[in-house]
Amino acid sequence: MNRVVDLRSDTVTQPTAAMRAAMFAAPLGDDVFGDDPSVNALQERIADMLGFEAALFMPTGTQSNLCGLMAHCQRGDEYIVGQSAHTFRYEGGGAAVLGSIQPQPLAQNASGQMALADIASAVKPDDCHFARTKLLCLENTWNGHPMPMDYLRQATALARQHGLAAHLDGARLFNAAVATAEPGETVAAAARRITSHFDSVSVCLSKGLGAPVGSALCGSKELIARAHRVRKMTGGGMRQSGLLAAAATHALEHHLERLADDHALVQRLARGLSGIAGLQVRSAQTNIVFLDVADGRGPDLLAFLKARGILATGLIGLRFVTHLDVDAAGIDRTVDAIAAFFSERAETALATQRASGY
Ligand SMILES: *Cc1c(COP(=O)(O)O)cnc(C)c1O
């Protein structure tokens, strides 16, 4: 029996044996008292790696973004964000609901960029009619797309010109770093080049890095102190969380450079699918492939794959995500199964045609 090829998300990974051993051996304390050595070590490591004064370990990326937004913005402030950005669209409206922060969503192009002119004209003048525009929020990668460095530089410079701070939802920051690294540059150094443009960044440790749980918010000491209060308020004061932080530290030590393998598997999948009639590879960037399937056959394809032990999602086009627990054999099985789906269709269509006398 082949094992399941789970391409639904890079969040589905199981901790490796070495990661479990690191968790088992982790020294622990009570982090609400600030004395969990494994949490403190993770926070120092990630802050240092990404070039910030301080960091805070968070249960999830959603809470990390929320604490970041609430640390930047007061009740009645506004943040500029992409129309389909995660913080605006997929986090339960938390910034508005819990932070009383008004989002100003803007259209994004096919690679997730908001036009600079749109950003500039969305900044409100100081006038009692308007919410106070305080923050620009970008996302990198967005649906797998790495933001070009020039765009990051220009957009954050524009934010500064207007007196705004800049926050990066870098759930998959390290995938962006792999994609934009210069020859010979480490993933950590490439990540730092990205984060150097921002006042705060949230990174997921539980996605491509393969930790079971957790994100980190990085920023200045002052910003992180404010975020710490919000984390407590939103129920995120965790106790012996060093158990989880140790997994994340292990991931930072061992799983950064290997993200390139996930990207190579995405290219392998895209190549395998390129000749198949009836589907279109919409994008194949970093560790995510999106497919468009003709004639509304997406749900049928997903069911066909599921019956063969291959899992993907179909929320916004069919999505396949590679990660630590996927290998080339699994990708080849996926290509073969998708090819079989479309050739069975073709045969059925041909048979129907013949039967009806064409
Ligand atoms: C996954 C994700 C988050 C949130 O992370 P959770 O840990 O699932 O809450 C935020 N932003 C982006 C872009 C993501 O992909």
Side-chain angles (χ1 to χ4, degrees), residues 60-62 65 86 91 139 141 169 171-172 204 206-207 215:
T60 66
T62 299
N65 279 323
H86 203 279
E91 297 182 5
E139 184 175 318
T141 63
D169 177 359
R172 296 190 176 89
C204 283
S206 58
K207 291 191 170 162
S215 283

Side-chain angles (χ1 to χ4, degrees), residues 4 141 154 166 194 205 238 262 264 273 290 293 300:
V4 169
T141 63
Q154 289 165 5
I194 295 172
L205 303 158
M238 300 183 287
D262 299 345
L273 298 177
F290 282 98
V293 176
D300 286 352

Side-chain angles (χ1 to χ4, degrees), residues 72 134-137 159-160 163-167 199:
H72 281 291
K134 281 290 166 65
L135 180 71
L136 172 68
C137 179
R160 299 240 149 70
L164 312 185
H167 172 75
D199 300 290

Side-chain angles (χ1 to χ4, degrees), residues 9-11 58-65 84-87 90-91 138-143 169-172 202-207 213-215 288 319:
S9 176
D10 46 8
T11 55
M58 296 280 184
T60 66
T62 299
Q63 193 176 44
S64 186
N65 279 323
S84 60
H86 203 279
T87 60
Y90 300 103
E91 297 182 5
L138 300 183
E139 184 175 318
N140 195 16
T141 63
W142 172 84
N143 282 346
D169 177 359
R172 296 190 176 89
S202 170
V203 251
C204 283
L205 303 158
S206 58
K207 291 191 170 162
V213 171
S215 283
I288 307 182
R319 192 184 79 157

